[in-house]
């Protein structure tokens, strides 16, 4: 992305990579990409990243990591939001491993909050899911 034209297309490249560009604008950007190796490489990298970010497993693990960071920095609101994302992605995807991760992570959060009964219920749900999918421990 060295030329002025390339710099002006930067946002459009991102929008094209995630499929959010209007068809006429997409054709214009694709015409430029066809003649510009730098933009073609950038678009390929952006499309790869967009694909990875749509992976529910990555979303859950990223939200769990964010919840840990929020907990360590005592940011209670961010911690709760991150756990909500974990639960939402896992429920939406329906993958038993993600559901297990969501239940175990949320159970830990409940224990930390002193909500022991809710934590025990979530831990029991996690154990049940874990037994079905043969998670060790």
């Amino acid at each position: 992305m060295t030329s002025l034209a390339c710099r002006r297309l930067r946002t459009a490249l991102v929008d094209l990579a995630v499929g959010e560009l209007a068809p006429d604008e997409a054709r214009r950007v694709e015409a430029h990409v066809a003649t510009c190796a730098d933009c073609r490489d950038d678009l390929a990298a952006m499309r790869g990243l967009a694909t990875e970010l749509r992976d529910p497993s990555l979303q859950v693990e990223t939200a769990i990591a964010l919840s840990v960071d929020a907990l360590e920095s005592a940011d209670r609101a961010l911690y709760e939001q991150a756990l909500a994302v974990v639960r939402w992605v896992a429920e939406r995807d329906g993958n038993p491993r993600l559901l297990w991760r969501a239940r175990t992570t949320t159970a830990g959060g409940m224990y930390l909050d002193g909500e022991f009964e809710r934590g025990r219920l979530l831990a029991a749900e996690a154990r049940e899911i874990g037994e079905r999918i043969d998670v060790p421990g």
Side-chain angles (χ1 to χ4, degrees), residues 66-76 78-79 108-109 112-113:
L66 181 60
S67 74
V68 170
D69 289 347
L71 191 60
E72 289 174 350
S73 64
D75 187 336
R76 181 63 186 189
L78 181 58
Y79 173 71
L112 288 172
D113 287 343

Side-chain angles (χ1 to χ4, degrees), residues 72-89:
E72 289 174 350
S73 64
D75 187 336
R76 181 63 186 189
L78 181 58
Y79 173 71
E80 289 176 4
Q81 289 171 343
L83 287 182
V85 168
V86 170
R87 290 188 303 271
W88 181 79
V89 169

Side-chain angles (χ1 to χ4, degrees), residues 55-65 85-86 89-90 98 101-102:
D55 177 2
S57 296
L58 179 62
Q59 294 170 357
V60 165
E61 293 307 319
T62 301
I64 288 171
V85 168
V86 170
V89 169
L98 296 183
R101 289 287 284 149

Side-chain angles (χ1 to χ4, degrees), residues 38 52 57 60 75 77 90 93 120 122:
D38 287 342
E52 287 180 26
S57 296
V60 165
D75 187 336
D93 187 67
R120 278 191 286 281
L122 288 166

Side-chain angles (χ1 to χ4, degrees), residues 14 33 112 117:
V14 173
V33 168
L112 288 172
E117 186 56 33

